[in-house]
Amino acid sequence: QVQLVESGGGSVQAGGSLRLSCAASGYTYRDYYMGWFRQAPGKEREGVALIVPRSGFTYYPDSVKGRFTISRDSADNSLYLQMNSLKPEDTAMYYCAAANHGISNLRRGRPDEYTYWGLGTQVTVSS
């Protein structure tokens, strides 16, 4: 049974940093995307940082590129999201997600492609 548990959210002022963690138990795939999604009130859930564990390939949308960094610790199967230079528009619930099948580049940012989800951790950035 796969379980994803996020931690590390909180409130920070604009320009600050936060590091999110995701403890992934029971997830053994290394060739499929894992990553972080976020959802702000009234908005669709969007992928903000994705990684393929075996290759280390990462993907970021333009909205966070250069500010967010995803990493994975293979020793304990944890996933991390380092968020720097945070902006008020980064305010959202952040979710850890993982796939159990291959996903094309075109579809990798689609939440419906991901099978496993955590419950989320709130990030609030004030101006």
Side-chain angles (χ1 to χ4, degrees):
Q1 182 179 357
V2 175
Q3 189 174 20
L4 306 177
V5 180
E6 305 94 337
S7 61
S11 297
V12 64
Q13 289 192 329
S17 298
L18 280 174
R19 186 177 189 240
L20 305 184
S21 300
C22 173
S25 59
Y27 185 79
T28 58
Y29 298 106
R30 296 186 64 211
D31 296 307
Y32 305 141
Y33 278 111
M34 299 179 72
W36 294 92
F37 285 72
R38 69 184 180 188
Q39 188 167 19
K43 295 190 176 181
E44 293 186 353
R45 192 170 296 191
E46 62 170 343
V48 294
L50 304 171
I51 188 169
V52 178
R54 188 185 300 277
S55 66
F57 175 80
T58 57
Y59 166 77
Y60 306 93
D62 289 343
S63 57
V64 307
K65 196 174 294 182
R67 301 189 298 120
F68 288 13
T69 303
I70 188 171
S71 60
R72 179 177 174 269
D73 185 337
S74 59
D76 62 5
N77 213 21
S78 292
L79 202 62
Y80 302 97
L81 182 66
Q82 178 67 43
M83 304 185 294
N84 298 328
S85 302
L86 283 162
K87 305 175 181 180
E89 51 264 42
D90 295 318
T91 294
M93 185 71 80
Y94 283 70
Y95 298 91
C96 180
N100 65 354
H101 63 278
I103 303 172
S104 68
N105 289 350
L106 191 63
R107 298 181 66 83
R108 59 190 167 194
R110 294 177 59 96
D112 57 359
E113 289 287 350
Y114 293 79
T115 302
Y116 308 109
W117 290 89
L119 295 180
T121 186
Q122 178 68 36
V123 171
T124 302
V125 185
S126 58
S127 57

